[in-house]
Amino acid sequence: MILARFLGPRVWILVAVILAAAVLVPLANLWLPADHPLHVPSYLVPLFGKYVCYALLALALDLVWGYCGILSLGHGAFFALGGYAMGMYLMRQIGSRGVYGNPDLPDFMVFLNWQELPWYWTGFDQFWFAALMVMLVPGLLAFVFGYFAFRSRVTGVYLSIITQAMTYALLLAFFRNDMGFGGNNGLTDFKDILGFSIQADATRASLFAASCIALALSVLLVGWITRSKLGKLMVAVRDAESRTRFIGWRPEHVKLFAFTVSAVMAGIAGALYVPQVGIINPGEFAPVNSIEVVVWAAVGGRGTLIGPVIGALLVNYGKTVFTGVWPEGWLFILGGLFVFVTLILPRGIVGTIDHGWDALRATRKARNAEKGEASESEAAGDPRAVANPAE
């Protein structure tokens, strides 16, 4: 009960909706016949799962941008690193079923005449190790990067630029064939995950449910962080970093914590994304992908917890629709949407609704206060509030 009051009804409603989707979508796909009006086709399950992974990525960005004031243009890098860690595990599960039939080396390594598996691929034949790397690699990169950046008091647009430079550097590195990550083609042709066929409807439904559970847990985590004393300190750093430092706090430590946790969340989103789309390549490091995440959070409303989730779902659904109808115009639509939100709805969808609701409540409260004062004046016989009988 205390936890429910602490997090607030909005968080629990969002979690309930996500968990309901985790149950209803797989049931509608696996149990309802194909001619049933509520049946969810198999091709839509991984598409919905991709949307959920994007929502988790947007929530991760909101933790640092909406509550800590760090506009990161490099969260796509953490997402891609988590995806590559999962992709390496899935490649090791192929074994001798690859095109070249090599039980140890992935097909792209055989094609490039690699003689042995690189040392950094060791351990990825075990799921627990891959799951650990999904969180450790993005988290470690964010910790090291954030430590030097925040300690040097790099803020604002300068921080945004160097985060974008980081993801672009990783893009160039992963494009190289000698890096051992598949080069331009990346990692694909996955067969199994935890011994289950990755193409099976039940596996896809399970991956969707796992994505929803991860998103629900992340909502609870971010809700707990942002509503705690640490969350209030994060907002203080966002709104008045110098003042926060002058009263004795260390803003760089607060930023580093938020940045690292956010990177781990982004890595988990990438790991859940890869088996559902069936491929991971260096294109995921492209700076434009990180910019899109910013658009999702801005459209939904940063700093609102629920806003980035809604923004990610709406924008990506629009992308699916418009790229099918007018593929070459999608980037223009996305850019126009960002400009519209920046100029007309700077608080985003949820932020604008919250602001309007707060203004309405303040107006009603003021009116009630005025009525209350008038009633007290009449009861006290105030001549200003009583009509003059001689008139």
Side-chain angles (χ1 to χ4, degrees):
M1 196 66 171
I2 296 176
L3 183 61
R5 266 189 252 164
F6 177 69
L7 293 179
R10 173 181 291 181
V11 172
W12 291 108
I13 291 173
L14 178 59
V15 169
V17 170
I18 295 170
L19 293 179
V23 175
L24 295 178
V25 171
L27 290 180
N29 171 248
L30 299 174
W31 286 15
L32 296 180
D35 57 350
H36 195 281
L38 297 179
H39 174 74
V40 176
S42 296
Y43 74 90
L44 285 180
V45 175
L47 180 63
F48 292 162
K50 184 173 73 170
Y51 292 167
V52 174
C53 293
Y54 285 155
L56 177 53
L57 177 57
L59 181 64
L61 177 67
D62 189 47
L63 178 62
V64 293
W65 186 32
Y67 293 95
C68 223
I70 304 170
L71 177 55
S72 170
L73 297 181
H75 261 55
F78 306 131
F79 180 82
L81 287 173
Y84 264 97
M86 178 56 67
M88 292 165 72
Y89 163 76
L90 296 174
M91 291 298 290
R92 293 298 306 272
Q93 300 307 299
I94 295 175
S96 58
R97 291 174 293 173
V99 175
Y100 296 101
N102 191 306
D104 299 318
L105 298 180
D107 285 338
F108 72 88
M109 290 187 182
V110 178
F111 178 78
L112 295 173
N113 295 321
W114 288 61
Q115 300 302 315
E116 60 181 2
L117 200 67
W119 64 268
Y120 44 84
W121 278 73
T122 304
F124 278 96
D125 55 334
Q126 302 294 324
F127 181 80
W128 68 267
F129 182 83
L132 180 62
M133 291 299 106
V134 162
M135 297 181 287
L136 184 61
V137 173
L140 184 60
L141 175 62
F143 182 84
V144 173
F145 178 89
Y147 176 79
F148 289 105
F150 302 141
R151 192 179 117 181
S152 302
R153 299 189 183 180
V154 180
T155 58
V157 67
Y158 302 104
L159 182 63
S160 301
I161 290 173
I162 63 174
T163 56
Q164 193 171 59
M166 174 191 68
T167 188
Y168 189 67
L170 289 170
L171 167 69
L172 297 178
F174 275 73
F175 258 119
R176 295 168 56 96
N177 286 326
D178 57 1
M179 283 287 290
F181 296 108
N184 184 38
N185 295 323
L187 309 177
T188 187
D189 195 29
F190 308 133
K191 307 292 185 186
D192 299 330
I193 180 169
L194 292 174
F196 299 97
S197 172
I198 210 167
Q199 301 297 330
D201 290 345
T203 305
R204 291 183 172 184
S206 299
L207 287 169
F208 171 81
S211 301
C212 290
I213 292 172
L215 177 59
L217 292 176
S218 297
V219 169
L220 291 175
L221 175 63
V222 175
W224 177 77
I225 291 174
T226 55
R227 283 163 173 76
S228 65
K229 292 182 179 179
L230 176 59
K232 293 180 174 61
L233 185 57
M234 289 167 57
V235 173
V237 171
R238 179 195 69 189
D239 295 339
E241 181 175 344
S242 298
R243 188 176 301 175
T244 306
R245 180 178 288 107
F246 291 155
I247 62 176
W249 296 100
R250 298 290 297 273
E252 57 271 21
H253 293 171
V254 178
K255 289 182 175 182
L256 186 59
F257 169 80
F259 197 63
T260 304
V261 172
S262 177
V264 172
M265 291 170 56
I268 294 173
L272 291 167
Y273 168 86
V274 167
Q276 297 185 82
V277 300
I279 188 172
I280 178 71
N281 59 39
E284 296 297 337
F285 287 101
V288 66
N289 290 350
S290 297
I291 295 173
E292 279 196 38
V293 183
V294 173
V295 176
W296 305 340
V299 169
R302 66 187 181 99
T304 60
L305 191 66
I306 188 175
V309 174
I310 294 176
L313 297 177
L314 290 178
V315 174
N316 282 286
Y317 175 74
K319 183 177 182 179
T320 300
V321 172
F322 283 107
T323 50
V325 177
W326 187 27
E328 62 277 8
W330 166 245
L331 289 180
F332 296 100
I333 296 173
L334 183 64
L337 177 64
F338 187 65
V339 171
F340 173 79
V341 169
T342 303
L343 298 179
I344 308 300
L345 297 176
R347 295 182 177 87
I349 296 172
V350 176
T352 301
I353 294 174
D354 286 346
H355 180 71
W357 179 249
D358 290 341
L360 180 61
R361 288 175 59 187
T363 302
R364 287 180 177 176
K365 187 175 181 180
R367 288 177 179 174
N368 292 336
E370 290 177 359
K371 291 179 180 178
E373 291 177 359
S375 299
E376 291 176 1
S377 299
E378 291 177 3
D382 190 339
R384 292 175 300 175
V386 180
N388 189 348
E391 291 182 355

